[in-house]
Amino acid sequence: MIHTTPRVLVSDLREHVGETVSVCGWVNTLRLQRKMQFVIVRDHTGMVQVTHKRGGESDSTEAALESLTTESAVRITGRVVDNPIVNLGGLELVPEQVEVLNRAETPLPIDEHTGLEHRLDWRFLDVRMRPQAQLLFAVQTTLEQGMREYAYSQGCTEMHTPKLMGTASESGAEVFKLGYFDRSAFLAQSPQFYKQMAISAGIDKVFEIGPVFRAEPSFTSRHATEFTGVDVELAWINGVEDVMVFEEQMLTHAIAKVADVHGEAIRETFGVDVTVPTMPFPRVTMAEAQEILRAGGWDPEGTKEDLDPEGERGISAHFKEQTGHEWVFVTHYPTSIRPFYHMRPESDPGLTLSFDLLWKGLEVTTGAQREHRYDVLLKQAAEKGMSTEPLQDYLNAFRFGCPPHGGLGMGLGRVLMVMLGLDSIREAAFLFRGPNRLTP
């Protein structure tokens, strides 16, 4: 069927009062009374009331509206009428033609009382029916756009590194193994080695947003087995501070963009204020952080090398109280809990020139200056008891003039989770993947 009537989005109907237009969307609610039929139709921009006075047996519009079910996909052509008593924008649509494009089965498998796990089984309906989910993906788009804008403005080249690897990356733990013709391959748990290779290839600043795979059987609210990573690597740096400055500027730019475009909608839908951070973000060394936390009763045995989730929340709360800042860089992690390729300061080889960035108590980024000297890398790998044979392709990148460099890896879902005050990372992805979930 060829339509001569233009489709108009619900949010634009006000500009078409008195005209005949088509609205395409889903049936949100039906109120079919004795004399009148009211149907609320929803598209991705909002809702409109369709109002029809019953005309009896020969009324084809009445019959079409009567046959509708909730969530059916419809195209309704009618006149846009000003009606101040209608709640939805003071407008209604008086239908002339009702087309049922795809009738929804009844009953629907989920409703507003359904728990998260069951909603995830029917995620397409969950996203369609909940304005929060719709808004989340709009926010994600703007956040990524803001990060890309900043990266481009700094001269970054966007790269797409392989997700299939011949050897287990980084430490070798937490990787998924899969059949690859007559041998095994692994899914990349980070683009780390490849973005360093790009630095060695003379690409000055590297930027990638892509999938990351982690084979850890974690069932927490902040872990996923497949997630989207935002990765950056910068050449010719003077130190790890250059990487931290890049990140705080990139995040500030992107969050300001989100606040500008969606701030009001986020407040209304999630009840959260998007606060644009001030720079610089606070910085604290791991040793200082542990001292602050232990003074408050954390880790009374004094055995923890790393910050656990409680410690991360504690140090964030401390800096929020002291500085009013929601963000804090924790720096100088001990070598024992950092990978072999993190650079160590000459003055204190037990530490690394690395950082984690916490936002409201959740770790959203890990970064570091990398060790770019071949002989030092060999020594540090040996200290960690690693065989250098599977690492040879990686190590070769440092044999022929690799510049000093550093970078960061950020979890996009975690940033969204904190930004929107979500309880779980399961809601911050379109289709979540975890140890128990490979569907839909």
Side-chain angles (χ1 to χ4, degrees), residues 106-121:
T106 57
L108 293 168
I110 59 170
D111 62 23
E112 66 273 20
H113 306 297
T114 306
L116 177 59
E117 278 306 309
H118 190 51
R119 283 200 282 113
L120 292 183
D121 291 336

Side-chain angles (χ1 to χ4, degrees), residues 108-214:
L108 293 168
I110 59 170
D111 62 23
E112 66 273 20
H113 306 297
T114 306
L116 177 59
E117 278 306 309
H118 190 51
R119 283 200 282 113
L120 292 183
D121 291 336
W122 296 95
R123 184 63 163 154
F124 66 93
L125 272 178
D126 178 43
V127 170
R128 187 206 300 172
M129 290 162 70
R130 284 190 312 122
Q132 299 93 312
Q134 296 278 329
L135 178 58
L136 177 120
F137 297 111
V139 169
Q140 175 182 299
T141 301
T142 304
L143 178 68
E144 282 190 49
Q145 189 187 356
M147 292 203 275
R148 280 198 172 90
E149 274 174 3
Y150 179 76
Y152 297 157
S153 76
Q154 299 303 301
C156 286
T157 302
E158 193 164 0
M159 302 293 282
H160 301 288
T161 60
K163 305 304 160 217
L164 286 167
M165 313 178 81
T167 55
S169 59
E170 302 215 12
S171 60
E174 294 175 3
V175 289
F176 289 109
K177 187 176 180 180
L178 63 156
Y180 192 74
F181 304 110
D182 58 347
R183 57 189 192 278
S184 290
F186 303 89
L187 291 176
Q189 63 178 138
S190 153
Q192 184 60 49
F193 290 177
Y194 294 127
K195 61 183 182 169
Q196 287 186 266
M197 225 172 260
I199 293 296
S200 211
I203 299 169
D204 209 59
K205 294 183 174 118
V206 176
F207 177 73
E208 176 169 19
I209 298 181
V212 175
F213 302 90
R214 295 277 161 92

Side-chain angles (χ1 to χ4, degrees), residues 373-386:
R373 294 162 297 187
Y374 180 68
D375 54 333
V376 182
L377 272 169
L378 288 179
K379 186 169 126 272
Q380 292 182 179
E383 273 174 33
K384 292 243 178 216
M386 295 175 76

Side-chain angles (χ1 to χ4, degrees), residues 50 60-61 64-65 68 74-77 95-100:
V50 177
S60 61
T61 300
L65 291 174
L68 292 178
V74 294
R75 181 184 183 104
I76 297 185
T77 303
E96 292 159 18
Q97 188 187 15
V98 177
E99 291 171 77
V100 183

